[in-house]
mmCIF file of all heavy atoms in Angstrom:
data_model
loop_
_atom_site.group_PDB
_atom_site.id
_atom_site.type_symbol
_atom_site.label_atom_id
_atom_site.label_comp_id
_atom_site.label_asym_id
_atom_site.label_seq_id
_atom_site.Cartn_x
_atom_site.Cartn_y
_atom_site.Cartn_z
ATOM 1 N N GLU A 1091 -1.099 1.248 8.631
ATOM 2 C CA GLU A 1091 -1.266 1.723 10.002
ATOM 3 C C GLU A 1091 -0.740 3.145 10.169
ATOM 4 O O GLU A 1091 0.354 3.489 9.718
ATOM 5 C CB GLU A 1091 -0.529 0.790 10.965
ATOM 6 C CG GLU A 1091 -0.772 1.105 12.428
ATOM 7 C CD GLU A 1091 -0.136 0.080 13.343
ATOM 8 O OE1 GLU A 1091 0.362 -0.949 12.833
ATOM 9 O OE2 GLU A 1091 -0.134 0.308 14.563
ATOM 10 N N GLY A 1092 -1.547 3.984 10.796
ATOM 11 C CA GLY A 1092 -1.136 5.354 11.094
ATOM 12 C C GLY A 1092 -1.382 6.351 9.985
ATOM 13 O O GLY A 1092 -1.072 7.536 10.138
ATOM 14 N N ILE A 1093 -1.933 5.910 8.862
ATOM 15 C CA ILE A 1093 -2.191 6.819 7.738
ATOM 16 C C ILE A 1093 -3.688 6.891 7.481
ATOM 17 O O ILE A 1093 -4.347 5.862 7.295
ATOM 18 C CB ILE A 1093 -1.471 6.347 6.460
ATOM 19 C CG1 ILE A 1093 0.041 6.349 6.680
ATOM 20 C CG2 ILE A 1093 -1.839 7.241 5.277
ATOM 21 C CD1 ILE A 1093 0.825 5.823 5.496
ATOM 22 N N SER A 1094 -4.222 8.091 7.501
ATOM 23 C CA SER A 1094 -5.640 8.303 7.200
ATOM 24 C C SER A 1094 -5.791 9.587 6.401
ATOM 25 O O SER A 1094 -4.888 10.428 6.378
ATOM 26 C CB SER A 1094 -6.470 8.372 8.488
ATOM 27 O OG SER A 1094 -6.050 9.470 9.276
ATOM 28 N N LEU A 1095 -6.921 9.722 5.739
ATOM 29 C CA LEU A 1095 -7.264 10.937 5.015
ATOM 30 C C LEU A 1095 -8.671 11.357 5.421
ATOM 31 O O LEU A 1095 -9.458 10.533 5.902
ATOM 32 C CB LEU A 1095 -7.204 10.715 3.503
ATOM 33 C CG LEU A 1095 -5.816 10.472 2.898
ATOM 34 C CD1 LEU A 1095 -5.939 10.113 1.414
ATOM 35 C CD2 LEU A 1095 -4.926 11.699 3.069
ATOM 36 N N THR A 1096 -8.988 12.613 5.209
ATOM 37 C CA THR A 1096 -10.285 13.139 5.623
ATOM 38 C C THR A 1096 -11.201 13.328 4.425
ATOM 39 O O THR A 1096 -10.861 14.061 3.491
ATOM 40 C CB THR A 1096 -10.122 14.485 6.345
ATOM 41 O OG1 THR A 1096 -9.273 14.311 7.481
ATOM 42 C CG2 THR A 1096 -11.474 15.020 6.811
ATOM 43 N N ALA A 1097 -12.325 12.655 4.453
ATOM 44 C CA ALA A 1097 -13.353 12.880 3.433
ATOM 45 C C ALA A 1097 -14.116 14.154 3.789
ATOM 46 O O ALA A 1097 -14.567 14.316 4.924
ATOM 47 C CB ALA A 1097 -14.302 11.692 3.376
ATOM 48 N N ALA A 1098 -14.248 15.041 2.818
ATOM 49 C CA ALA A 1098 -14.907 16.321 3.070
ATOM 50 C C ALA A 1098 -16.398 16.286 2.766
ATOM 51 O O ALA A 1098 -17.132 17.190 3.160
ATOM 52 C CB ALA A 1098 -14.245 17.416 2.234
ATOM 53 N N ALA A 1099 -16.853 15.257 2.048
ATOM 54 C CA ALA A 1099 -18.252 15.213 1.623
ATOM 55 C C ALA A 1099 -18.646 13.767 1.340
ATOM 56 O O ALA A 1099 -17.822 12.855 1.371
ATOM 57 C CB ALA A 1099 -18.459 16.066 0.377
ATOM 58 N N LYS A 1100 -19.926 13.573 1.048
ATOM 59 C CA LYS A 1100 -20.422 12.252 0.662
ATOM 60 C C LYS A 1100 -20.336 12.104 -0.849
ATOM 61 O O LYS A 1100 -20.562 13.064 -1.596
ATOM 62 C CB LYS A 1100 -21.874 12.097 1.118
ATOM 63 C CG LYS A 1100 -22.475 10.734 0.793
ATOM 64 C CD LYS A 1100 -23.827 10.527 1.464
ATOM 65 C CE LYS A 1100 -24.368 9.139 1.168
ATOM 66 N NZ LYS A 1100 -25.558 8.805 1.958
ATOM 67 N N LEU A 1101 -19.988 10.902 -1.288
ATOM 68 C CA LEU A 1101 -19.997 10.617 -2.718
ATOM 69 C C LEU A 1101 -21.381 10.902 -3.280
ATOM 70 O O LEU A 1101 -22.379 10.378 -2.799
ATOM 71 C CB LEU A 1101 -19.621 9.149 -2.953
ATOM 72 C CG LEU A 1101 -19.772 8.618 -4.385
ATOM 73 C CD1 LEU A 1101 -18.928 9.405 -5.362
ATOM 74 C CD2 LEU A 1101 -19.409 7.131 -4.429
ATOM 75 N N ASP A 1102 -21.421 11.735 -4.310
ATOM 76 C CA ASP A 1102 -22.692 12.148 -4.899
ATOM 77 C C ASP A 1102 -22.558 12.147 -6.413
ATOM 78 O O ASP A 1102 -22.066 13.112 -7.004
ATOM 79 C CB ASP A 1102 -23.070 13.550 -4.403
ATOM 80 C CG ASP A 1102 -24.419 14.015 -4.935
ATOM 81 O OD1 ASP A 1102 -25.060 13.267 -5.688
ATOM 82 O OD2 ASP A 1102 -24.820 15.149 -4.586
ATOM 83 N N PRO A 1103 -22.969 11.063 -7.081
ATOM 84 C CA PRO A 1103 -22.828 10.984 -8.532
ATOM 85 C C PRO A 1103 -23.517 12.121 -9.281
ATOM 86 O O PRO A 1103 -23.134 12.429 -10.417
ATOM 87 C CB PRO A 1103 -23.466 9.633 -8.874
ATOM 88 C CG PRO A 1103 -23.337 8.827 -7.623
ATOM 89 C CD PRO A 1103 -23.513 9.815 -6.511
ATOM 90 N N ALA A 1104 -24.511 12.745 -8.659
ATOM 91 C CA ALA A 1104 -25.196 13.855 -9.321
ATOM 92 C C ALA A 1104 -24.316 15.099 -9.400
ATOM 93 O O ALA A 1104 -24.592 16.003 -10.186
ATOM 94 C CB ALA A 1104 -26.499 14.184 -8.580
#
Side-chain angles (χ1 to χ4, degrees):
E1091 187 174 352
I1093 298 177
S1094 62
L1095 292 174
T1096 302
K1100 181 170 182 171
L1101 172 59
D1102 183 0

